[in-house]
Amino acid sequence: MPRPANPEVRSRLLSVGRDVVLGRGFNGCGVQDITEAAGVPKGSFYNYFESKESFAADILEDYWQSIEDRHGPILYDARVKPLARITKFFRGLTHDHGEANFAFGCLIGNLSLELSNGSEVTRSKLSAVLNRWESALSACLREAQERKELGGKQHADELAQILIEAYEGAVMRCKVEQSGNALDRFEKKVLPRLLV
């Protein structure tokens, strides 16, 4: 009789596997690389994940949930003006990238480039994560409009999409240059021009 799945093993596979994928790319690592790094027998990987692509979707969910847990509350802090919250939110993300010396990029951007054409399950999860990110930013932008902090002619949903696209592009550039210059430009040049 098979042993029941162990939630701690699944959690370790997600956490360590995410780091492996960030460091080597999804196509640059195999299931064995992930299980070795997690200290788990290769055969047990499929007790927790239907396929490597479903694993990618699960690490995306885990990655975005960790961002929502750490930085998401910033966007809903009514003590801070909405546009300052958005700047603070992106600053928190940038700090995370700086902790890794800007070497790995963003899992959302990385997997978008690697898998959006080849894995429907991953593409679907990427779309869902981007929608959650957009929704959180849009709510904050609408509040800024209600408070007359942001011009009413801006379309909040579209502006949220533009902010994410600009940020992800800056993260990609930082990964190439292994410096925070592009994210510094995003915060000092792009945000002030868009959030008016």
Side-chain angles (χ1 to χ4, degrees):
M1 183 163 100
R3 290 177 30 189
N6 181 338
E8 190 277 325
V9 171
R10 185 179 191 282
S11 178
R12 189 168 66 239
L13 282 165
L14 288 171
S15 175
V16 173
R18 180 176 73 195
D19 292 342
V20 171
V21 170
L22 272 170
R24 297 175 64 177
F26 183 80
N27 294 319
C29 66
V31 168
Q32 184 160 344
D33 299 311
I34 295 163
T35 55
E36 277 181 13
V40 174
K42 182 180 177 183
S44 67
F45 179 88
Y46 296 101
N47 293 335
Y48 300 94
F49 309 101
E50 196 173 294
S51 65
K52 190 178 171 202
E53 286 74 21
S54 70
F55 170 76
D58 286 354
I59 63 171
L60 272 167
E61 176 61 33
D62 188 62
Y63 177 77
W64 185 250
Q65 188 61 56
S66 74
I67 289 172
E68 285 184 332
D69 292 346
R70 286 178 290 117
H71 303 300
I74 294 165
L75 294 174
Y76 301 99
D77 185 351
R79 298 168 299 172
V80 179
K81 289 183 175 183
L83 297 186
R85 287 184 234 157
I86 290 172
T87 299
K88 191 175 177 183
F89 174 81
F90 281 114
R91 190 173 295 139
L93 295 182
T94 297
H95 178 266
D96 291 350
H97 291 295
E99 291 286 303
N101 296 315
F102 306 98
F104 300 117
C106 171
L107 190 65
I108 297 165
N110 294 352
L111 291 181
S112 292
L113 293 171
E114 279 195 273
L115 295 177
S116 59
N117 285 336
S119 170
E120 182 56 32
V121 68
T122 308
R123 192 195 64 72
S124 179
K125 179 54 73 176
L126 284 162
S127 181
V129 164
L130 287 169
N131 287 336
R132 283 163 53 190
W133 190 358
E134 289 166 15
S135 179
L137 289 175
S138 293
C140 204
L141 291 166
R142 277 191 287 280
E143 185 183 340
Q145 288 174 323
E146 290 166 9
R147 292 182 175 200
K148 307 295 186 214
E149 189 185 359
L150 179 67
K153 292 183 180 180
Q154 299 260 29
H155 188 277
D157 294 337
E158 185 176 78
L159 182 54
Q161 293 168 345
I162 292 167
L163 289 171
I164 292 167
E165 291 156 6
Y167 188 79
E168 283 294 315
V171 171
M172 184 177 65
R173 180 84 183 250
C174 286
K175 181 179 177 181
V176 170
E177 297 175 350
Q178 298 203 347
S179 85
N181 293 337
L183 287 171
D184 190 52
R185 285 191 298 274
F186 173 84
E187 184 178 334
K188 292 179 180 170
K189 304 289 185 185
V190 176
L191 278 179
R193 284 177 170 81
L194 291 174
L195 300 180
V196 294

